[in-house]
Amino acid sequence: MDLARTEVSREGTRPVKQAVRPARTARGSAARLGLMAVPVAFFAVFFAYPVAAIVARGLKIDGVWQLGRIGDVLAQPDVRHVLWFTTWQALASTGLTLLVALPGAYVFARFDFPGKQVLRAVVTVPFVLPTVVVGTAFLALVGRGGLFDELWGLRLDTTVWAILLAHVFFNYAVVVRTVGGLWSQLDPRQEEAARMLGASRTRAWRQVTLPALAPAVAAAALMVFLFTFTSFGVVQILGGPAFSTLEVEIYRQTSQVFDLSTAAVLTLIQFAAVVAVLAVHAWTVRRRETALRLVDAATTARRPRGAGQWALLAGVLGVIAVLLVLPLAVLVQRSLGASGFGYYRALTREDGGAFLVPPIEAIGNSLQYAVAATAIAVVIGALAATALTRRDAGRFVRGFDALLMLPLGVSAVTVGFGFLIALDEPPLDLRSSWILVPLAQALVGVPFVVRTMLPVLRAVDGRLREAAAVLGASPWRVWREVDLPMVRRALLVAAGFAFAVSLGEFGATVFIARPDNPTLPVAVARLLGRPGDMNYGQAMALSTILMLVCAVALVVLERLRTDRSGEF
């Protein structure tokens, strides 16, 4: 009798459990959609709307779409040359970066040596530097009156090599930290087992290690290609009139030629290319996450053995010294000049030319804008990352994930100019508001916040959230008391990345920063655009200040970083 009651009781509770589970799933879906509402609205208003506005302004005449204009623009020889050069230099930059950085990825993954963590921070400094600073550093190295010009009479700033080397400088850390992060977690015993079965060192690496690394190499290559395909600041400074990427050409068509039709077509072409690259990148990341079994990275690194490994370490250190450290050292040296701190003192004076205020005020402006942009990016990015936490998300949520990455590849010039065109009428008349610059900068910072927080949020045991919800906690209280304590450090790291990239944003800010409130990158570009040694020296001084601020932010990030795998 008791047994029968037990069975009846179990049978009676089963429908209740089945009913509760869909209810929880429905509440979870509703909560996720609620979290996504704010980021979706933010991207719709401040990204999709400005981009659509400038495209419509260029391709609509008297309310009629002129889609035939796309074929007309593509038929122009100059445009075809820009498309060819954009693609060619991106492929060349990607291949050269992999060639130079893969040995460094191996050294950081497999070798343990004194000063490794400091050197890791040094390697990462170029990645967080604004592109304007990178271009200025290489201008000081290979340009007129630069180090190469003084020593050997060699100038590279009028050749494509300056652009390629600057892109390698900028993206070296992408390969080292993305590929090296996975490499350090691959079990070396697999390759050792192949060696014991008679395979040579080369064959064991080619058939065991390389297939495991291939997704990470592909992901790093795609990210480098994306960054170089949309390159603006580096090409603008080093390329001159001889070389122009799509991003530079969009800027020229909008700000100099005022041909919005051509700019709109180029924007659509770049957008299509970026979407394709991001789709392939998402596929490689999913493959990488599901196909590998990893070990603790701390157990795979060891001291170099033998002359060959020590020579490899010395070679990588030499590359880092020449390719990464030397341009920044020359930048600092040029900022001092023959008069010591004369260029720095000149920043405090009004010149009545390029600036309505002393250039030194650009430092305070940039810091204020970056703080505001960081606050916006952290709020939007944290909400988006929380909504993306569940791995059983549907296609709509995965599409939302891809949407968050688009600002990294879509023309920042188009976004900036779109701000001026679209946000000029009530209730969104923001052209005269200071908040316009932080909004544009936050668009670039949000993807970094999401990518930093998402892995940590996914590592939180979901049963903790379910237990809190069963006990009656609201979704906000669950996040505050379960997720937040575990992701606090990741949130600080995300804020640091958002601050660094906001500080150096140039493509959109060059359009919307007011003359009486310039940012550091805009001030550097204006000074470089004026003749004279004093303007050149002041540009070097401002670039050095911007570099130091970004380096300090990176040092703080390294101290706060909780994930030692080396991922961004």
Side-chain angles (χ1 to χ4, degrees):
M1 185 65 180
D2 293 338
L3 179 60
R5 287 176 181 163
T6 303
E7 292 296 323
V8 171
S9 176
R10 288 177 181 172
E11 289 296 325
T13 58
R14 189 170 300 164
V16 176
K17 291 181 179 180
Q18 292 176 349
V20 169
R21 190 172 300 165
R24 290 180 183 174
T25 302
R27 286 197 299 269
S29 299
R32 189 188 303 120
L33 292 176
L35 291 169
M36 290 171 57
V38 175
V40 167
F42 177 79
F43 274 80
V45 174
F46 298 112
F47 176 68
Y49 176 48
V51 172
I54 194 170
V55 170
R57 182 70 64 92
L59 296 182
K60 287 180 70 173
I61 299 177
D62 297 329
V64 180
W65 287 95
Q66 304 293 327
L67 298 181
R69 179 60 179 159
I70 297 177
D72 296 338
V73 171
L74 292 177
Q76 298 176 14
D78 292 344
V79 171
R80 290 202 302 268
H81 176 74
V82 168
L83 292 173
W84 172 85
F85 178 73
T86 301
T87 305
W88 178 86
Q89 65 83 26
L91 291 172
S93 297
T94 302
L96 190 59
T97 302
L98 291 175
L99 180 66
V100 174
L102 281 176
Y106 175 80
V107 165
F108 279 97
R110 294 303 196 200
F111 290 170
D112 186 19
F113 52 90
K116 181 178 176 179
Q117 295 303 324
V118 175
L119 194 63
R120 187 192 298 275
V122 171
V123 166
T124 313
V125 165
F127 181 75
V128 300
L129 287 180
T131 56
V132 171
V133 173
V134 175
T136 306
F138 273 82
L139 193 65
L141 184 65
V142 302
R144 174 182 57 84
L147 183 63
F148 285 13
D149 192 14
E150 291 181 354
L151 295 179
W152 304 294
L154 178 64
R155 288 184 57 188
L156 297 178
D157 61 323
T158 56
T159 71
V160 72
W161 279 105
I163 296 173
L164 296 182
L165 290 175
H167 283 162
V168 175
F169 168 91
F170 188 75
N171 294 292
Y172 185 91
V174 175
V175 177
V176 167
R177 301 192 67 152
T178 302
V179 180
L182 179 62
W183 210 335
S184 66
Q185 294 178 281
L186 293 181
D187 192 345
R189 292 174 296 183
Q190 297 177 354
E191 189 172 329
E192 293 171 0
R195 294 287 308 281
M196 293 180 63
L197 293 174
S200 64
R201 185 183 299 273
T202 302
R203 185 180 179 184
W205 184 86
R206 188 179 68 250
Q207 295 186 353
V208 177
T209 304
L210 183 59
L213 285 177
V217 174
L222 287 168
M223 290 304 295
V224 174
F225 181 85
L226 180 64
F227 290 142
T228 53
F229 187 83
T230 57
S231 181
F232 177 59
V234 168
V235 181
Q236 178 78 354
I237 293 175
L238 296 176
F243 305 105
S244 181
T245 58
L246 271 173
E247 188 82 352
V248 174
E249 187 63 18
I250 292 171
Y251 175 75
R252 190 179 75 87
Q253 293 291 337
T254 52
S255 65
Q256 299 176 10
V257 183
F258 302 107
D259 187 352
L260 293 185
S261 178
T262 299
V265 173
L266 296 180
T267 296
L268 291 176
I269 294 173
Q270 182 168 313
F271 180 79
V274 167
V275 169
V277 171
L278 289 177
V280 176
H281 180 265
W283 177 79
T284 59
V285 169
R286 287 197 300 270
R287 179 185 171 192
R288 174 181 167 187
E289 288 179 345
T290 58
L292 299 176
R293 298 178 64 182
L294 307 178
V295 298
D296 186 0
T299 64
T300 62
R302 53 178 173 76
R303 302 279 290 186
R305 301 173 185 173
Q309 293 188 356
W310 282 106
L312 177 61
L313 175 59
V316 169
L317 294 178
V319 168
I320 292 173
V322 174
L323 181 65
L324 305 185
V325 177
L326 182 60
L328 300 181
V330 173
L331 174 65
V332 175
Q333 186 269 332
R334 288 292 185 270
S335 73
L336 296 174
S339 58
F341 291 92
Y343 294 140
Y344 291 89
R345 288 192 292 268
L347 295 175
T348 62
R349 299 193 295 265
E350 295 187 29
D351 63 357
F355 302 97
L356 301 179
V357 295
I360 195 69
E361 292 193 14
I363 301 174
N365 295 335
S366 288
L367 293 175
Q368 293 173 12
Y369 287 144
V371 169
T374 300
I376 297 172
V378 166
V379 172
I380 300 298
L383 290 173
T386 304
L388 293 169
T389 298
R390 291 178 61 93
R391 292 183 177 273
D392 58 346
R395 292 182 179 180
F396 178 75
V397 177
R398 289 197 295 270
F400 172 66
D401 189 11
L403 170 67
L404 299 174
M405 295 292 291
L406 285 179
L408 293 181
V410 173
S411 171
V413 171
T414 300
V415 174
F417 197 59
F419 270 34
L420 295 182
I421 291 177
L423 305 181
D424 62 342
E425 297 179 356
L428 289 175
D429 187 4
L430 302 177
R431 285 195 300 180
S432 59
S433 174
W434 68 272
I435 197 64
L436 203 61
V437 173
L439 287 172
Q441 294 173 343
L443 284 172
V444 183
V446 168
F448 287 91
V449 174
V450 173
R451 292 298 154 217
T452 303
M453 294 188 63
L454 190 56
V456 181
L457 282 170
R458 282 179 172 168
V460 178
D461 192 342
R463 290 173 297 183
L464 297 176
R465 300 189 184 102
E466 293 177 0
V470 168
L471 293 174
S474 64
W476 164 245
R477 188 176 180 185
V478 170
W479 190 89
R480 189 179 70 245
E481 298 188 5
V482 176
D483 293 83
L484 183 58
M486 298 184 181
V487 302
R488 185 178 290 111
R489 285 192 176 183
L491 186 63
L492 293 174
V493 172
F497 269 119
F499 179 81
V501 298
S502 299
L503 197 66
E505 204 287 321
F506 176 60
T509 309
V510 70
F511 278 98
I512 57 182
R514 296 186 303 183
D516 57 340
N517 286 289
T519 63
L520 277 170
V522 172
V524 170
R526 289 179 183 174
L527 287 168
L528 288 175
R530 302 176 65 193
D533 292 337
M534 179 58 69
N535 292 315
Y536 180 82
Q538 289 183 80
M540 296 294 165
L542 279 180
S543 296
T544 301
I545 293 172
L546 187 51
M547 177 192 70
L548 292 176
V549 173
C550 291
V552 169
L554 181 64
V555 170
V556 174
L557 290 182
E558 283 295 317
R559 295 183 66 87
L560 292 174
R561 190 166 57 93
T562 56
D563 179 12
R564 293 293 175 180
S565 66
E567 297 282 351
F568 281 106

